[in-house]
Amino acid sequence: MKKFAAIFICLAGAASAQDFPALYNVTGVDDGDVLNMRTRPTENGTVIGALDHDARLVEVIEEDDGWGRVNVTGLSGWVPLESMERQEGTELPAGYQFKCFGTEPFWSATVTQNDKLTFTRPDDDDKVFSASNLTAATSRDHPFALLGAKMGEHVTLVMNHEICTDGMSDYKFGYSGSVVIGGYETQVYTGCCSLDMD
């Protein structure tokens, strides 16, 4: 019986991990005060940043014993989730919008679900594809994928649920992403993905 209980606990933990990333609002912090971000998921962690008392739509990447990992001013750290209010329906694949991006070369793909994917590079015109919703792998929680098309070209975006770094900051993101554009030529871009649209 204990063996089955242990298996159930492990499965429950794995399922809850799929609830992140998600967007949160800071709550219960007095006006003029801040919510400290720490190096570790504990009150003993060093303070390395802060969220304003009224911060909204903050992306929480992962959870550890009641603490959530967030990105603030170039750093990644932990805040207590008891002072954060989850915005339901923001996690993927249900979330309304998200973006993927990478460096060398710089690129981004901004997605509005069941509407469009806008692919951007600094040295080229934007490409706007009509796009489907994200679909999870059969019998799996991830990866996710979506397809898009425009005249003469098509796009495939695939996202894996894993911690990803952008190579330009200490930020950590909850998804890695790959974009493949086909048509006149095949182009492949890799990077990270985020629910934070700022």
Side-chain angles (χ1 to χ4, degrees):
M1 182 67 178
K2 289 182 179 177
K3 183 186 293 184
F4 291 116
I7 290 171
F8 176 78
I9 290 169
C10 289
L11 289 175
S16 64
Q18 298 302 319
D19 294 338
F20 293 92
L23 298 178
Y24 282 69
N25 293 344
V26 173
T27 184
V29 176
D30 293 336
D31 288 2
D33 203 354
V34 296
L35 181 62
N36 287 328
M37 179 178 76
R38 299 179 182 272
T39 53
R40 295 179 291 134
T42 168
E43 288 289 344
N44 296 324
T46 303
V47 175
I48 56 171
L51 294 172
D52 290 336
H53 74 279
D54 58 352
R56 298 291 180 263
L57 303 180
V58 176
E59 185 174 23
V60 176
I61 307 304
E62 59 180 335
E63 186 267 346
D64 186 343
D65 198 25
W67 290 74
R69 181 188 288 280
V70 299
N71 296 315
V72 177
T73 58
L75 297 172
S76 182
W78 300 87
V79 296
L81 288 180
E82 65 185 12
S83 298
M84 304 284 281
E85 181 180 48
R86 185 185 184 91
Q87 303 304 293
E88 295 300 333
T90 59
E91 68 279 356
L92 296 179
Y96 171 65
Q97 58 186 7
F98 61 92
K99 65 180 178 183
C100 299
F101 44 86
T103 59
E104 297 180 4
F106 286 96
W107 65 272
S108 68
T110 304
V111 176
T112 305
Q113 290 234 56
N114 202 28
D115 185 10
K116 65 182 179 181
L117 180 155
T118 304
F119 183 84
T120 303
R121 280 188 55 178
D123 58 350
D124 201 357
D125 294 335
D126 290 358
K127 297 182 178 185
V128 180
F129 299 86
S130 6
S132 63
N133 279 340
L134 280 175
T135 302
T138 304
S139 303
R140 305 277 183 184
D141 293 321
H142 70 101
F144 298 129
L146 66 74
L147 302 176
K150 70 180 194 66
M151 184 69 70
E153 289 184 295
H154 55 269
V155 65
T156 302
L157 184 149
V158 178
M159 299 169 61
N160 281 292
H161 191 219
E162 60 188 1
I163 297 298
C164 179
T165 57
D166 62 6
M168 298 289 288
S169 70
D170 290 330
Y171 284 174
K172 297 189 184 310
F173 303 95
Y175 291 97
S176 63
S178 298
V179 171
V180 180
I181 298 175
Y184 307 110
E185 60 178 340
T186 300
Q187 304 167 54
V188 181
Y189 301 89
T190 60
C192 300
C193 302
S194 174
L195 303 180
D196 184 352
M197 301 303 289
D198 293 334

